[in-house]
Amino acid sequence: MEKTEHSDDSPAARPRWVMLNRYSYRRFIDAETMTSAASHTSTGHLFRVSFRLAAPPACSTFHNDWTGSDDEPHRDPEIVAAHGDCLLLDVTCPNPNKMYDNVVIDYFLYDAAADALSLLAACFFPMTFQRGDGAGRVARARHLWKKDTGIFHRGSGEVTVAQLEVPDTDDRPKFPRNKAELCVLDTGRLQWELRRDVPIVHGEATAGKAYDLMLWWETDVAVPVGDRFLCFVDYFRGFLVYDVAADLATVELRYVPLPVEVSDLSPNFDGRPCTASFRNLAGAGIDAVRFVTVESRCCCGAAGDSSCERGWFLFTVTAWSLNLAATVWVKESMLDCEELWAMPGYGDLPRRPLSHPIVSSDDPDIVCFILLNGYSRYSDEDRDKRKVWMLEINMRSKTLRSVVLYNNEEQQEEYQIAAKLQF
């Protein structure tokens, strides 16, 4: 059952989809790498990125090399967003003009089919919290954050990059957050556009309900769906649908609720859980999404954390689907931990909760998870005992397809993003 990584470059060895580590490693590019590309930053630094691909549930790795450059970066390149075989990369390099900033952040699109890197034009539209009295300020390029920036790779080869901001207000009761801003770059036009006051449409929700939903909105991730949609997701409240094909001058954002209870946690609440630990939303066809959640359950079977020791590690995994043209979620499957632990192949693996679900880009019924043995990465005493497994499960047939022991050297197993690199 256990899968191994392929190192040859034959078509049969190339996985149909991969789980890429968002953070790259500064390592020499070797023969095991399946694909790589080189380019120059806006400051003239030569760099190369490469990807060592492995079939899920094994994790694929992202590497960088600055051989030939006088200065190496302070921070290794990172993946901001992915769609199909296109990646948006954040590349930080030293700034030769250190009067204002020590580094320059460039953004590149990596096209796996062409093994090519394309430098994006910098965006100088400030975000709302940066505006005000700008007299005497030095114009700085806008930062594209992982949580609120997405890309959409069209069939024509053009790519749309979009960043969402739901502006905060100093007086929430007087000014509800019912509008957003979209900063968009279409590679066919090569010019950034900023659309302010984009309406947020809540459908049948009352004004009070809509206000409550947006009061503590915090975007967690941008998810491309099908051939025209980007979904900006708050894993505690729902998601906003952006139609990439719509004219930016008349675009609106449509709110869609999640099939689970809305949380009242505020983004300022220090205990806001890491949403990637137990929820994942992904595209599942032309105009559909798949939502997977891992939830604790009591020993009696009821939802919620158990107060008794016997139920501390009990959980259920639920998969939902939604056609974006509809309003009703469909529960596709539910898997209880007891069913998982009894599956052939689970064997002596720890009976602990799964985490960090990732829906396959190839088949939405296939979901990959992380399983930890409970030892901490932060304790010197525990680090050598810590083990991580990656599990691949077919939620519909309730079968454990594969188990892979994670290479724990980097200890970054939770920073994975799904991609479907074709080259």
Side-chain angles (χ1 to χ4, degrees):
M1 174 175 291
E2 184 169 323
K3 294 185 178 179
T4 57
E5 216 175 288
H6 293 284
S7 60
D8 72 89
D9 198 33
S10 64
R14 300 174 184 175
R16 295 173 61 88
W17 75 286
V18 295
M19 296 191 301
L20 273 172
N21 196 315
R22 281 187 181 269
Y23 300 97
S24 62
Y25 311 131
R26 204 171 309 179
R27 287 180 176 173
F28 181 72
I29 298 172
D30 55 32
E32 291 186 31
T33 300
M34 288 187 175
T35 178
S36 64
S39 187
H40 288 85
T41 67
S42 61
T43 54
H45 290 85
L46 174 66
F47 74 101
R48 182 182 297 272
V49 297
S50 62
F51 304 88
R52 185 176 300 162
L53 306 182
C59 297
S60 298
T61 51
F62 172 26
H63 306 268
N64 71 89
D65 180 18
W66 295 76
T67 303
S69 289
D70 295 333
D71 298 304
E72 291 189 341
H74 297 282
R75 180 166 58 84
D76 293 318
E78 303 172 0
I79 299 174
V80 177
H83 184 207
D85 59 358
C86 185
L87 306 175
L88 176 61
L89 305 182
D90 172 327
V91 179
T92 301
C93 60
N95 185 2
N97 179 6
K98 297 185 179 180
M99 182 179 296
Y100 302 111
D101 296 299
N102 289 328
V103 298
V104 173
I105 300 177
D106 289 332
Y107 294 96
F108 285 83
L109 287 175
Y110 171 70
D111 184 342
D115 266 356
L117 286 164
S118 303
L119 177 64
L120 293 184
C123 176
F124 288 96
F125 291 120
M127 302 190 81
T128 56
F129 67 86
Q130 298 170 320
R131 296 172 197 159
D133 183 10
R137 291 186 180 179
V138 176
R140 286 182 168 85
R142 188 182 182 112
H143 197 103
L144 303 179
W145 308 102
K146 297 180 187 69
K147 66 178 184 177
D148 56 19
T149 304
I151 61 172
F152 194 92
H153 195 190
R154 302 168 185 261
S156 61
E158 293 184 4
V159 179
T160 296
V161 182
Q163 183 178 37
L164 172 76
E165 183 181 9
V166 181
D168 207 349
T169 62
D170 295 330
D171 191 354
R172 288 194 181 89
K174 186 176 180 181
F175 300 104
R177 301 169 79 192
N178 56 7
K179 294 183 179 179
E181 292 194 357
L182 280 170
C183 194
V184 178
L185 173 68
D186 192 318
T187 57
R189 291 193 291 270
L190 298 177
Q191 184 174 357
W192 285 93
E193 298 179 76
L194 179 64
R195 173 70 166 91
R196 300 187 182 186
D197 297 329
V198 178
I200 298 174
V201 180
H202 285 274
E204 299 179 357
T206 64
K209 179 65 173 176
Y211 171 80
D212 289 340
L213 287 168
M214 300 309 300
L215 179 61
W216 299 117
W217 179 275
E218 182 174 347
T219 307
D220 290 305
V221 66
V223 177
V225 178
D227 57 1
R228 63 182 296 174
F229 300 108
L230 264 176
C231 297
F232 295 95
V233 187
D234 179 331
Y235 277 126
F236 288 124
R237 292 164 188 84
F239 59 93
L240 302 175
V241 181
Y242 164 43
D243 186 344
V244 178
D247 189 306
L248 196 59
T250 58
V251 72
E252 62 183 24
L253 295 165
R254 180 167 59 92
Y255 171 79
V256 178
L258 293 173
V260 293
E261 185 178 352
V262 173
S263 170
D264 60 358
L265 287 175
S266 80
N268 298 320
F269 182 63
D270 292 337
R272 189 179 198 265
C274 173
T275 54
S277 297
F278 52 92
R279 291 183 179 178
N280 181 244
L281 186 133
I286 295 177
D287 56 0
V289 294
R290 184 65 55 93
F291 177 65
V292 175
T293 180
V294 181
E295 303 287 352
S296 299
R297 73 161 174 85
C298 183
C299 57
C300 67
D305 294 334
S306 177
S307 58
C308 65
E309 184 176 354
R310 180 173 174 267
W312 282 351
F313 301 129
L314 300 180
F315 65 94
T316 57
V317 182
T318 309
W320 308 76
S321 65
L322 176 72
N323 187 303
L324 294 181
T327 58
V328 179
W329 286 91
V330 176
K331 184 184 290 188
E332 297 287 354
S333 56
M334 177 180 283
L335 176 68
D336 187 78
C337 59
E338 301 279 3
E339 295 177 290
L340 172 64
W341 297 338
M343 287 180 183
Y346 196 89
D348 296 328
L349 291 175
R351 296 195 170 192
R352 299 182 63 88
L354 302 179
S355 66
H356 297 85
I358 295 184
V359 176
S360 165
S361 299
D362 192 49
D363 181 349
D365 289 327
I366 305 298
V367 186
C368 294
F369 300 87
I370 290 174
L371 174 65
L372 304 174
N373 66 351
Y375 288 92
S376 172
R377 74 173 66 173
Y378 305 108
S379 167
D380 292 337
E381 192 175 308
D382 289 352
R383 193 173 291 119
D384 292 339
K385 301 176 183 178
R386 184 174 186 267
K387 285 189 177 182
V388 181
W389 293 267
M390 313 299 294
L391 277 61
E392 183 183 48
I393 298 173
N394 187 317
M395 289 291 296
R396 186 171 297 277
S397 64
K398 295 189 177 184
T399 54
L400 179 59
R401 290 165 51 94
S402 183
V403 178
V404 172
L405 184 63
Y406 179 75
N407 179 352
N408 205 33
E409 178 184 352
E410 312 298 344
Q411 296 191 345
Q412 293 187 346
E413 66 278 352
E414 70 268 40
Y415 301 115
Q416 309 298 320
I417 186 170
K420 199 168 184 179
L421 303 185
Q422 303 294 321
F423 53 93

